[in-house]
Amino acid sequence: MPKPIGLPHGVRLPRTFTETDARDVFTAFTRAYGWTGYLIGRAEAQARISPRALTDTEWQHLHTSDDWNRVNAAAHRAIDQADAIGHALRQAGFGCTTCPEIVTGPPAATWRRCPRCLATTTLTELQRQPCPAAIEPPAAHTWHAGRCSACTMPAPTLRLTAVSDAA
């Protein structure tokens, strides 16, 4: 008899709910909410010992072991060491354009730079870069009335140089 599963908000599972059903629900949630992750369970253990079948008693013994309970922590450490989430954030435009730091403010306020890099960047350099408010594909600034209409950056100005009269 399957053990009862405590779920929030009064959600109840049918008595015939199986581990395969649970995997299907997990997959549906990952798609619906944009979650990512690797589900590590009985099927993954079974694949390691195939063609031998993992009995219910063996699975019970395995998934209650201390080493099995450390698998999730080991996976999290591997993800952190590989900086997998950081790579995804940088690829999605949350990374500083000049260093590996993650930008925490909105693009139009940070010009996609971390505070240290923004402090050392000139306005002229920022004006030459793609507009930070343009998401995909990177686009040039749209100058109108002295400002970019998307990110409000001041438009470049022509600088006149005073030339002394020729003698």
Side-chain angles (χ1 to χ4, degrees):
M1 170 147 200
K3 64 180 176 181
I5 300 171
L7 296 172
H9 308 295
V11 173
R12 298 175 65 119
L13 298 176
R15 293 182 191 271
T16 58
F17 197 78
T18 66
E19 188 173 339
T20 301
D21 296 328
R23 281 182 170 273
D24 293 343
V25 168
F26 178 85
T27 301
F29 281 149
T30 61
R31 272 191 247 115
Y33 293 104
W35 299 342
T36 188
Y38 185 68
L39 182 60
I40 304 168
R42 184 179 190 145
E44 289 68 33
Q46 179 65 56
R48 298 281 182 133
I49 64 170
S50 181
R52 182 175 171 261
L54 189 63
T55 67
D56 289 342
T57 303
E58 290 170 328
W59 171 239
Q60 179 69 26
H61 178 71
L62 173 61
H63 85 81
T64 58
S65 70
D66 289 340
D67 280 343
W68 186 261
N69 290 321
R70 288 191 276 273
V71 169
N72 193 38
H76 277 278
R77 278 193 304 279
I79 290 167
D80 286 345
Q81 287 173 345
D83 192 27
I85 296 170
H87 286 290
L89 285 167
R90 284 186 281 283
Q91 184 181 19
F94 292 95
C96 179
T97 58
T98 56
C99 80
E101 291 296 315
I102 299 298
V103 177
T104 56
T110 62
W111 288 283
R112 298 194 193 279
R113 285 175 170 69
C114 69
R116 183 179 40 222
C117 293
L118 184 58
T120 60
T121 305
T122 68
L123 181 60
T124 304
E125 289 174 293
L126 294 174
Q127 290 167 332
R128 289 186 191 130
Q129 297 296 312
C131 176
I135 296 173
E136 291 223 13
H141 292 279
T142 307
W143 306 118
H144 179 71
R147 298 199 168 282
C148 174
S149 60
C151 72
T152 71
M153 178 184 292
T157 58
L158 296 174
R159 293 196 177 164
L160 301 175
T161 305
V163 179
S164 59
D165 290 338

